[in-house]
Amino acid sequence: MLNDLSAINILYLLVSIIIALSIHEAMHAFTAHWLGDTTAQEEGRLSLNPLRHIDPMTTVLLPIITLVIFHVPILAAKPVPFNPARVKYDEFGGALIAAAGPFINLALAIIAALFLRVVPAGAGLGDLLSTFVILNVAIFVFNIIPIPPLDGSRVLYAFAPEPVQDLMRQIEPYGLFIVFGLVLTGVLVPLINNLNNGILQLLP
């Protein structure tokens, strides 16, 4: 589905991206608020409104360009800010905030897959749901990579020994460049594809 660059499938992809990333970031914000940090609320991010979370360049334009050039959509929304000093449970609270984003995408993929069971194959809604399922699984898999600043690294940080935490803090400013480099050079692609396919096969 994501390899088909027809106008309608690109539209389905954009709709799926906006919904999936908006809910992903909103879940970070709601979880942080639940754990006592009001930073996201103060910055207007405690909302499901996509306009609060999407960035025209990285959420809309970047995935289209990278899908056309590399056949892989690379995308990001505006990160939700939080203040670790205001979050309950210290590093473990930070891990819960981080995990909330990708795991809501996994939940969305499961829900959409259940709807697909009753939607006729080939129908417009069926194609949209298929794209939504694939995209949400991809967002889940990508974000659990334990390289800063991806969400998986926040979870790893909470349980890692001090030397590993020090290393993670040092590489965080360059983390996204490292991740994109590993993806675009193909180093991470087999692992990501295997995880994506494995999860998709397990969905109802």
Side-chain angles (χ1 to χ4, degrees), residues 81-105:
F82 79 97
N83 185 345
R86 300 167 68 180
V87 173
K88 295 177 184 176
Y89 314 126
D90 301 320
E91 295 166 356
F92 298 102
L96 287 172
I97 295 170
F103 276 95
I104 194 63
N105 290 114

Side-chain angles (χ1 to χ4, degrees), residues 81-177:
F82 79 97
N83 185 345
R86 300 167 68 180
V87 173
K88 295 177 184 176
Y89 314 126
D90 301 320
E91 295 166 356
F92 298 102
L96 287 172
I97 295 170
F103 276 95
I104 194 63
N105 290 114
L106 182 60
L108 289 171
I110 294 170
I111 293 168
L114 289 171
F115 275 107
L116 265 176
R117 294 171 66 92
V118 297
V119 174
L125 179 57
D127 288 342
L128 174 58
L129 285 171
S130 294
T131 301
F132 190 71
V133 169
I134 294 169
L135 178 73
N136 274 281
V137 169
I139 292 173
F140 169 76
V141 169
F142 184 74
N143 275 279
I144 62 172
I145 296 172
I147 300 176
L150 298 179
D151 294 326
S153 71
R154 305 291 185 189
V155 178
L156 174 61
Y157 185 89
F159 298 93
E162 186 64 32
V164 176
Q165 290 182 341
D166 288 340
L167 176 62
M168 294 174 73
R169 284 193 292 266
Q170 291 171 20
I171 69 172
E172 182 163 3
Y174 319 103
L176 281 180
F177 297 103

Side-chain angles (χ1 to χ4, degrees), residues 173-191:
Y174 319 103
L176 281 180
F177 297 103
I178 295 171
V179 172
F180 288 155
L182 292 173
V183 170
L184 297 180
T185 57
V187 175
L188 279 178
V189 171
L191 175 61

